[in-house]
Amino acid sequence: MTVNLKTLLASQGFVILPSVLPPTQISSLRSACATVRSLAESGQWPHLRTLPKQFPPWSSDPSHGIWGIQHLLHPDIPHQSLFAASYFNDTIINTVKQLLDCEEGDLIMELYNLLIRPSSDFQLRWHRDDIPPSASAEEEEKRLREPAWHAQWNLALYDDRSLVVVPGSHRRARTDREREADAYEKDMPGQLVVELNAGDVVFYDNNILHRGIYDSNKERATLHGSIGHVAGGNARARNVLQHGTAEWVERCRFGDLEAGQRQRAEMMRQKLVDMGRLEGDKVGFSQED
């Protein structure tokens, strides 16, 4: 029986695809991630997610530890072509097209980051990516009815049990119990730990109620990406450009990709350039620590 991915995502708020990368590509990406991590921890790559801050903007100082590395599609990052090949991967693109019910020409390049094992245990509070916790039930319901205009995923290069979600919470306002819960509640009613094996990818609605639990003793290299729809406009600009992408995307080139991927990448990159020119001066931050 063929599973309708869009229906499944709409129902539970996430969908897992197993084994989207072959072992050889996983191995190459692990090595590339180790290189980038070494640069970041030694202060030679400034685009970081630093401890203990959960949301952007982040410092470029790694001295207190890092839990993520930003901008894997940046023209200056080592192994950019390896990261780009995994982002513009046929399986990823075809899944996004299904989830957004669109054609390839509607897609826009967005974010590609790396989530890593932190130097000390670290947790993200319960949140929705683009709706602040101060939102009333009515505000939440209004925002949740708006089209998402993007698809977001975590692609694990090692087994990963870091993402915790409340299935179905992307379709409703928070319950009283969820509103009153501690920000780091360990047993939220209905919560589920998303279990990924190396090479698996989970696509999820970024406004599902979710949190992250990062174990400093467990290796982690998870590629965290999003692709948008051109109809998203300013609603998506806030989420994408707050990460600083507009500062480098015009320099970005994908000449080392094979011909089909290169054409796709350049088309999607140009759409992001155009969005940055239109929306850059209107962008604020979605969340605060």
Side-chain angles (χ1 to χ4, degrees), residues 3-242:
V3 177
N4 186 308
L5 298 180
K6 183 177 181 181
T7 299
L8 189 58
L9 181 70
S11 172
Q12 63 182 23
F14 70 97
V15 59
I16 297 173
L17 302 181
S19 304
V20 300
L21 297 179
T24 53
Q25 191 174 8
I26 292 173
S27 179
S28 296
L29 284 165
R30 284 177 176 176
S31 179
C33 290
T35 298
V36 171
R37 176 175 186 147
S38 178
L39 288 176
E41 290 179 330
S42 63
Q44 298 178 72
W45 184 254
H47 308 296
L48 312 173
R49 297 188 178 199
T50 51
L51 297 173
K53 201 169 190 304
Q54 300 190 31
F55 303 108
W58 287 284
S59 165
S60 60
D61 177 7
S63 61
H64 296 292
I66 63 175
W67 62 278
I69 296 161
Q70 303 286 87
H71 304 323
L72 298 184
L73 300 178
H74 194 293
D76 299 333
I77 200 167
H79 306 294
Q80 188 240 30
S81 60
L82 275 176
F83 295 126
S86 68
Y87 181 88
F88 298 106
N89 172 289
D90 287 347
T91 300
I92 296 294
I93 296 296
N94 289 333
T95 301
V96 172
K97 286 162 57 180
Q98 289 183 58
L99 295 177
L100 298 183
D101 194 17
C102 70
E103 301 300 323
E104 190 162 310
D106 297 319
L107 301 181
I108 181 169
M109 184 179 113
E110 290 195 345
L111 304 174
Y112 209 32
N113 303 315
L114 173 62
L115 307 179
I116 63 172
R117 173 182 55 79
S119 54
S120 58
D121 290 351
F122 179 62
Q123 299 182 24
L124 299 182
R125 61 171 168 80
W126 287 103
H127 67 284
R128 307 183 193 270
D129 281 0
D130 202 32
I131 303 176
S134 58
S136 67
E138 292 75 17
E139 290 169 333
E140 279 189 294
E141 289 170 353
K142 179 178 181 295
R143 292 285 290 275
L144 292 172
R145 286 194 298 268
E146 296 172 355
W149 297 125
H150 77 287
Q152 178 167 305
W153 70 90
N154 284 357
L155 174 52
L157 301 179
Y158 297 92
D159 294 354
D160 194 325
R161 308 291 185 267
S162 302
L163 178 63
V164 186
V165 302
V166 177
S169 59
H170 62 299
R171 296 185 284 109
R172 58 165 177 78
R174 285 167 294 169
T175 65
D176 290 342
R177 170 71 175 81
E178 289 164 347
R179 285 182 173 276
E180 295 166 1
D182 184 83
Y184 300 91
E185 171 62 54
K186 295 180 180 179
D187 189 22
M188 190 73 81
Q191 74 174 40
L192 180 145
V193 177
V194 176
E195 299 186 359
L196 300 177
N197 296 321
D200 293 353
V201 61
V202 57
F203 285 83
Y204 63 101
D205 188 308
N206 76 331
N207 280 327
I208 195 171
L209 194 60
H210 66 286
R211 67 184 298 240
I213 303 175
Y214 306 137
D215 186 344
S216 60
N217 294 310
K218 186 171 180 57
E219 191 55 73
R220 188 183 196 213
T222 292
L223 303 172
H224 177 57
S226 69
I227 288 175
H229 190 293
V230 291
N234 188 57
R236 281 305 294 162
R238 179 178 57 252
N239 245 346
V240 176
L241 299 176
Q242 67 178 339

